[in-house]
Amino acid sequence: KKLALASRNTVIMGVAALAIIIVIAVIIAYLVVRRSSALNHAIDSMAMLPYIMPGAVIGIALVIAYGKRPFALTGTMLIMIMSFAIRRMPYTIRSATATLMQIPLSIEEAAISLGASKVRTFVKITIPMMSNGILSGAILSWVAIVTELSSSVSLYSNRTTTLTMQAYVYIGRGEYGTAAAFAAILTVIT
């Protein structure tokens, strides 16, 4: 029962966090590369801070921010998803930004000059051309999300446990065989 719950939670929270990461990373990459300004570079720098911050710090900060009413989210999937997205977004941002830097602006300008709107050009031209960078960043983020432990320790509950957390709990109890089973499933998902 714990294995099924932890597997389901890992996949659901991982996919949700990854979807959030991809959307935000593409927007930040576009702002930094195509709409360069001091504000956009500040947003980029702030988005990269979780890369150097320990996960426990982010977990504790989320508990402090969302531990009391009216935003009592501690122990919910939502706070876990927030944690995963915050912690692992820098991978996809860097990858998407690097890919967008290699796409000539003249391609977008050509589409606009042929009558496409800026939004249509972004969705139909720019994003597909960025897809390899987005995918590689998403893969890095996925692996880091499903194996996240440091922020999860302070945020999980019995209902929101993940495979990594369950393996950690069983290792702490000295039940290495059970922990190995959780780790094997985690390896397959990764």
Side-chain angles (χ1 to χ4, degrees):
K1 185 175 177 178
K2 282 278 190 188
L3 183 63
L5 177 67
S7 299
R8 182 180 58 86
N9 286 346
T10 299
V11 171
I12 289 171
M13 289 188 281
V15 168
L18 195 58
I20 293 166
I21 286 170
I22 290 170
V23 169
I24 294 174
V26 167
I27 292 168
I28 290 175
Y30 187 81
L31 290 174
V32 169
V33 175
R34 296 293 193 244
R35 303 283 184 254
S36 187
S37 71
L39 176 63
N40 291 340
H41 286 287
I43 291 170
D44 182 48
S45 296
M46 286 190 313
M48 293 306 294
L49 283 176
Y51 187 70
I52 60 171
M53 293 174 69
V57 171
I58 293 173
I60 292 168
L62 287 171
V63 167
I64 292 169
Y66 298 106
K68 296 178 184 166
R69 294 187 185 270
F71 302 112
L73 298 176
T74 307
T76 65
M77 271 195 185
L78 184 57
I79 200 164
M80 296 281 287
I81 292 167
M82 288 169 53
S83 168
F84 295 159
I86 290 167
R87 289 259 306 139
R88 303 310 178 185
M89 194 177 308
Y91 298 115
T92 307
I93 290 173
R94 276 300 137 242
S95 185
T97 301
T99 304
L100 186 57
M101 284 181 176
Q102 296 176 6
I103 299 172
L105 183 59
S106 60
I107 293 173
E108 292 174 32
E109 291 170 343
I112 291 169
S113 72
L114 291 171
S117 68
K118 288 183 179 184
V119 172
R120 183 172 172 86
T121 300
F122 181 67
V123 171
K124 296 285 187 179
I125 308 283
T126 308
I127 290 178
M129 291 180 73
M130 292 173 64
S131 62
N132 286 337
I134 294 168
L135 181 61
S136 65
I139 290 169
L140 288 171
S141 292
W142 172 259
V143 171
I145 286 168
V146 297
T147 59
E148 173 65 33
L149 180 65
S150 58
S151 65
S152 300
V153 169
S154 57
L155 298 173
Y156 88 103
S157 69
N158 284 335
R159 292 175 292 122
T160 61
T161 190
T162 61
L163 288 168
T164 308
M165 270 314 306
Q166 281 304 123
Y168 178 75
V169 167
Y170 284 115
I171 288 169
R173 292 179 186 168
E175 297 179 33
Y176 300 113
T178 308
F182 280 92
I185 300 298
L186 183 61
T187 301
V188 170
I189 291 174
T190 304

